[in-house]
Amino acid sequence: MITLFMNNWQTYLTGFWNTILCSVLALIFSLVIGSAFAIMEILPNKVLRIIAHIYIEIFRNIPLLVIAMFFYIVIPQYVMKMDGFTAGTIGLTLYTSSFIAETVRAGIQAVDSGQMEGARANGLTYWQAMRYIVLPQAYKLVIPPLGNQFINLVKNSSVLAFLAGFDLMYQGQSVASTTFQTFSAYIIVGIFYLIITLPLSYYMRYLEKKMV
Amino acid sequence: MAMIEFKNVDKYYGKYHALTDINLQVQQGEVVVVIGPSGSGKSTLIRTINGLEEIESGQLIVNGMDLADKKADLNELRKNVGMVFQHFNLYANKTVIENIMLAPRLVLKRDEAENKKIALRLLDTVGLAEKADAYPKQLSGGQKQRVAIARSLAMKPKVLLFDEPTSALDPEMIDDVLNVMKSIAKQGDMTLVVVTHEMGFAREVADRVIFFDQGQVVEDDPAEEFFKQPKEERARQFLSKIITHK
């Protein structure tokens, strides 16, 4: 296995790098988009609430692979050119953002309603109350489920393998098919995923402890 | 002009008639205590004054602003009308001093050094100077409520509303909070509306007592008269009940 890695380390590292890049991009954008839709879902405005609801239900209930394929095949035909990496990252972002939206919404709703009321009575605007009082408490509450979402996101980035996205999984497949050492080739892939997800998992635990 | 004026105000929750034809005036600097059985709508009444509850019909004018108007700027209103809640509603993610300084900083754009000075002085007034850097969860109920009062005072409001401020407190904590409230009342420049069952407080500092039942003002008397002998039978019964419980 070590020889296999030594002979193919460049292939693996390219994959490792692409998986990290895709995950980081998707994580940042899905957190931003997810939070925006979470807030839209709890606004008094009914139209925005319905829009957010439709968005979330669409992307939450369609398989990630289908969403990614849509951006890989349909969008380039009618809208704009897009490589597999970009299509996969966009698909992963939208898919994950719908789960993050639901998680963050639950967090906001779990914050005692007296917090918003106290802030409003104290003279803060709705958005000031959200920003300084409600959201910080909501994010703190949802660190554990958000951690799950982030870990899932990293693992789900393997969808890039279907779109020629040159991620870890894709590179592993190519090593397996050229060397015929299927077993070892995929073990190495697994180890690389652990190198990303384990520290992430421990970091989320650390955050959880630190913020209590 | 009255600081607070209700004119034929009605409020419904669905079909439930929470406030029925309220007519009421509170003058600037007056201390008005609202009493009545639970579920009578006292809290709803006081919560309409800072726009936490909307009214369906009638006119409600607070500090010159008509709250029946859907376009009324509630943020502007709340700069002048503070509120202290039964369950404190302190910001759980902020320290005591930050609880007090946040709204003056964001809303009044008060200078930071000045803001801190005022906050510390208020904390001192309510006897909690040493708790400035504590978080709300580290405080007892009575301490939380005194911080909540300081937080409202930091906005220098013209009107301060108290919604059952001592009802969630252990008996031995109540006096500390009442004493702070009494000293505010005795300063005399702020208009206070207090929903409470603390008759001792009402007797000592109230200018007027309003007995509220089934969403209506049943009796509205100067405090002395009320405690001598309420006119209405319902008020008399209520008063005898809570006084024998003391």
Side-chain angles (χ1 to χ4, degrees):
Chain A
M1 197 158 76
I2 293 168
T3 359
L4 179 73
F5 177 65
M6 286 309 186
N7 294 336
N8 297 282
W9 64 272
Q10 276 178 318
T11 317
Y12 277 114
L13 281 192
T14 308
F16 185 59
W17 166 245
N18 280 332
T19 289
I20 288 182
L21 187 64
C22 164
S23 300
V24 169
L25 288 173
L27 193 151
I28 293 169
F29 286 111
S30 63
L31 193 57
V32 172
I33 298 171
S35 300
F37 279 106
I39 292 168
M40 273 169 73
E41 268 217 300
I42 51 115
L43 282 180
N45 185 321
K46 208 171 175 182
V47 179
L48 289 179
R49 232 163 49 211
I50 292 172
I51 293 172
H53 199 69
I54 293 172
Y55 174 90
I56 290 165
E57 291 305 341
I58 287 178
F59 287 108
R60 192 164 68 144
N61 292 306
I62 296 176
L64 171 58
L65 187 54
V66 176
I67 300 170
M69 281 296 181
F70 177 83
F71 282 95
Y72 188 51
I73 294 166
V74 182
I75 297 284
Q77 258 179 32
Y78 297 103
V79 188
M80 59 184 283
K81 269 197 156 39
M82 203 180 271
D83 60 21
F85 179 86
T86 312
T89 305
I90 292 176
L92 184 61
T93 300
L94 299 184
Y95 176 79
T96 311
S97 72
S98 67
F99 289 93
I100 288 182
E102 284 299 89
T103 309
V104 173
R105 178 188 59 80
I108 294 173
Q109 285 173 333
V111 174
D112 175 21
S113 62
Q115 295 287 311
M116 175 59 94
E117 208 163 64
R120 296 305 306 278
N122 201 198
L124 270 62
T125 65
Y126 180 85
W127 292 108
Q128 286 172 333
M130 265 291 165
R131 174 165 165 212
Y132 294 98
I133 306 302
V134 178
L135 284 179
Q137 294 183 53
Y139 280 116
K140 197 172 115 181
L141 285 171
V142 298
I143 288 173
L146 270 188
N148 272 338
Q149 304 291 354
F150 293 161
I151 288 165
N152 277 335
L153 180 150
V154 174
K155 295 187 292 181
N156 285 339
S157 69
S158 58
V159 75
L160 289 185
F162 290 94
L163 319 172
F166 300 100
D167 71 315
L168 253 182
M169 188 66 193
Y170 184 87
Q171 301 295 79
Q173 276 173 356
S174 92
V175 172
S177 61
T178 49
T179 62
F180 302 108
Q181 297 189 47
T182 320
F183 185 73
S184 304
Y186 286 118
I187 293 274
I188 295 170
V189 168
I191 292 170
F192 270 112
Y193 275 112
L194 283 176
I195 291 175
I196 307 173
T197 50
L198 280 182
L200 181 60
S201 169
Y202 279 99
Y203 180 67
M204 294 308 283
R205 262 173 223 252
Y206 162 78
L207 265 189
E208 193 184 333
K209 279 215 189 86
K210 199 186 92 176
M211 294 188 67
V212 169
Chain B
M1 197 177 65
M3 183 58 91
I4 303 168
E5 185 170 14
F6 288 79
K7 283 185 202 161
N8 309 105
V9 169
D10 282 272
K11 166 147 190 85
Y12 296 83
Y13 289 118
K15 277 190 174 166
Y16 179 69
H17 206 162
L19 299 178
T20 309
D21 193 28
I22 307 292
N23 287 286
L24 204 59
Q25 284 199 358
V26 180
Q27 304 301 323
Q28 195 201 329
E30 238 185 334
V31 177
V32 175
V33 166
V34 183
I35 63 170
S38 59
S40 61
K42 309 180 294 284
S43 281
T44 307
L45 177 78
I46 198 173
R47 286 162 60 89
T48 59
I49 300 174
N50 68 348
L52 283 182
E53 301 284 351
E54 287 180 12
I55 60 169
E56 261 78 51
S57 64
Q59 255 193 324
L60 170 51
I61 296 163
V62 181
N63 194 29
M65 189 184 286
D66 185 359
L67 304 193
D69 183 354
K70 297 274 180 235
K71 290 199 275 302
D73 185 351
L74 294 178
N75 294 320
E76 188 59 35
L77 173 81
R78 288 166 183 155
K79 284 183 193 173
N80 297 306
V81 182
M83 187 172 216
V84 174
F85 297 87
Q86 183 177 358
H87 295 290
F88 331 121
N89 296 351
L90 290 182
Y91 308 139
N93 58 329
K94 302 274 179 203
T95 59
V96 164
I97 189 98
E98 271 298 310
N99 263 275
I100 300 174
M101 289 169 65
L102 186 68
R105 180 190 303 138
L106 293 178
V107 181
L108 305 180
K109 317 276 183 227
R110 185 178 288 160
D111 168 70
E112 193 66 13
E114 166 92 353
N115 196 11
K116 183 143 197 180
K117 209 175 80 190
I118 293 174
L120 286 171
R121 200 191 61 223
L122 284 169
L123 266 182
D124 198 43
T125 320
V126 299
L128 291 169
E130 80 285 1
K131 296 288 184 189
D133 296 318
Y135 280 89
K137 66 176 175 192
Q138 299 165 308
L139 304 181
S140 72
Q143 291 172 332
K144 283 182 196 168
Q145 196 59 296
R146 283 182 280 153
V147 173
I149 293 172
R151 179 174 74 175
S152 294
L153 291 176
M155 294 293 284
K156 303 201 161 138
K158 293 180 183 161
V159 180
L160 193 46
L161 310 170
F162 289 87
D163 188 7
E164 304 210 28
T166 56
S167 300
L169 300 180
D170 291 333
E172 73 269 25
M173 307 283 180
I174 292 179
D175 279 343
D176 292 338
V177 172
L178 288 180
N179 287 335
V180 170
M181 292 169 61
K182 282 175 197 167
S183 72
I184 299 169
K186 284 172 182 165
Q187 279 169 19
D189 43 358
M190 215 177 278
T191 308
L192 303 187
V193 181
V194 185
V195 172
T196 186
H197 295 297
E198 295 295 333
M199 289 305 116
F201 172 82
R203 239 181 247 272
E204 193 178 330
V205 298
D207 297 311
R208 262 163 65 207
V209 176
I210 289 164
F211 179 71
F212 207 73
D213 193 16
Q214 296 175 351
Q216 285 171 308
V217 176
V218 176
E219 188 151 349
D220 179 357
D221 288 335
E224 276 170 54
E225 272 178 46
F226 183 84
F227 286 112
K228 219 179 282 166
Q229 177 71 308
K231 293 190 212 66
E232 299 284 332
E233 181 57 27
R234 269 188 288 176
R236 246 174 297 187
Q237 279 179 0
F238 180 78
L239 203 55
S240 70
K241 264 188 214 154
I242 53 176
I243 285 172
T244 48
H245 273 275
K246 282 279 151 188

